[in-house]
Amino acid sequence: MIICAGKNEVFNFAQPMGVGLIEMAINLTRLCLFNKPDFLLFVGSAGSYGEHNIFDIIESKRASNIELSFLNNNSYTPLDNVLESENKFVRNDTIVNSSNYISTNFALSKKFNVYGIGIENMEYFSVLQVAREFQIPVGGIFIVTNYTNENAHEDFLKNHKEAMSKLTNYLIEKNIIK
């Protein structure tokens, strides 16, 4: 089953599940309880921490939930904050970080690269967490719409329509959708 966030990112081939960590977790859990899919593929946009360019497409089976305060040693967590799926469907190019906040401090956010974290997407960590709980193979395919800097929102809006088209074409070329 192909899923996406929703609101600005809706595809005719994907089921919207909600924006952010909480909406995604609630709605995807509900789906899995009543109609557990055999496989989940999450598709959507992402912000780059600097190593990926606008319109790059990244496949991943790893996600993290690390807040910016961690990068300055201002916080810690007892939780397992990096997850990996056991699937062979997508390449494991980079770790996708998820937070309910969009990073706009590029000097700080590019520090994520040191940990192998290359992009951010608000929902993906929740997708992997729910998939792990229900033992569902999962992967994600993302397109970069912006860098994590002070222009993140404006660039996202400017590039979003073209990015969604490029992502759809990529999925068609890979025979994931028709």
Side-chain angles (χ1 to χ4, degrees):
M1 169 179 253
I2 302 174
I3 61 173
C4 60
K7 291 190 181 171
N8 289 342
E9 291 188 15
V10 177
F11 302 89
N12 61 359
F13 55 84
Q15 178 70 40
M17 288 287 126
V19 175
L21 293 166
I22 306 305
E23 284 184 14
M24 177 60 70
I26 291 169
N27 293 326
L28 187 54
T29 297
R30 183 180 297 122
L31 172 81
C32 292
L33 284 170
F34 296 108
N35 190 20
K36 180 181 168 184
D38 295 327
F39 181 83
L40 288 169
L41 177 64
F42 179 82
V43 296
S45 64
S48 173
Y49 293 134
E51 292 185 356
H52 296 284
N53 297 314
I54 304 297
F55 302 129
D56 279 357
I57 295 180
I58 294 106
E59 297 185 13
S60 181
K61 61 180 184 178
R62 295 188 293 170
S64 63
N65 177 224
I66 299 174
E67 300 297 335
L68 290 172
S69 62
F70 172 81
L71 299 175
N72 284 334
N73 295 317
N74 292 326
S75 63
Y76 74 95
T77 182
L79 303 176
D80 185 5
N81 61 359
V82 179
L83 303 176
E84 183 169 352
S85 171
E86 299 292 329
N87 78 70
K88 294 175 176 53
F89 181 70
V90 298
R91 297 185 320 252
N92 196 10
D93 287 341
T94 190
I95 300 170
V96 180
N97 193 54
S98 297
S99 171
N100 279 323
Y101 293 89
I102 306 296
S103 300
T104 59
N105 181 332
F106 191 66
L108 181 57
S109 66
K110 69 181 179 179
K111 291 181 181 182
F112 278 114
N113 292 307
V114 172
Y115 298 96
I117 303 168
I119 60 174
E120 68 180 21
N121 169 276
M122 291 178 68
E123 297 80 23
Y124 194 52
F125 185 83
S126 286
V127 173
L128 263 70
Q129 187 74 54
V130 171
R132 174 185 271 185
E133 182 66 27
F134 287 94
Q135 299 177 334
I136 301 169
V138 62
I141 302 177
F142 305 88
I143 188 160
V144 174
T145 54
N146 57 276
Y147 293 101
T148 55
N149 60 25
E150 65 277 355
N151 298 319
H153 185 67
E154 294 81 13
D155 290 344
F156 168 80
L157 293 173
K158 179 178 75 175
N159 296 324
H160 189 258
K161 184 176 180 180
E162 183 177 352
M164 295 304 96
S165 177
K166 287 179 181 288
L167 181 56
T168 300
N169 288 336
Y170 178 84
L171 297 170
I172 291 169
E173 289 170 14
K174 294 290 184 180
N175 291 318
I176 298 170
I177 63 169
K178 297 178 184 192

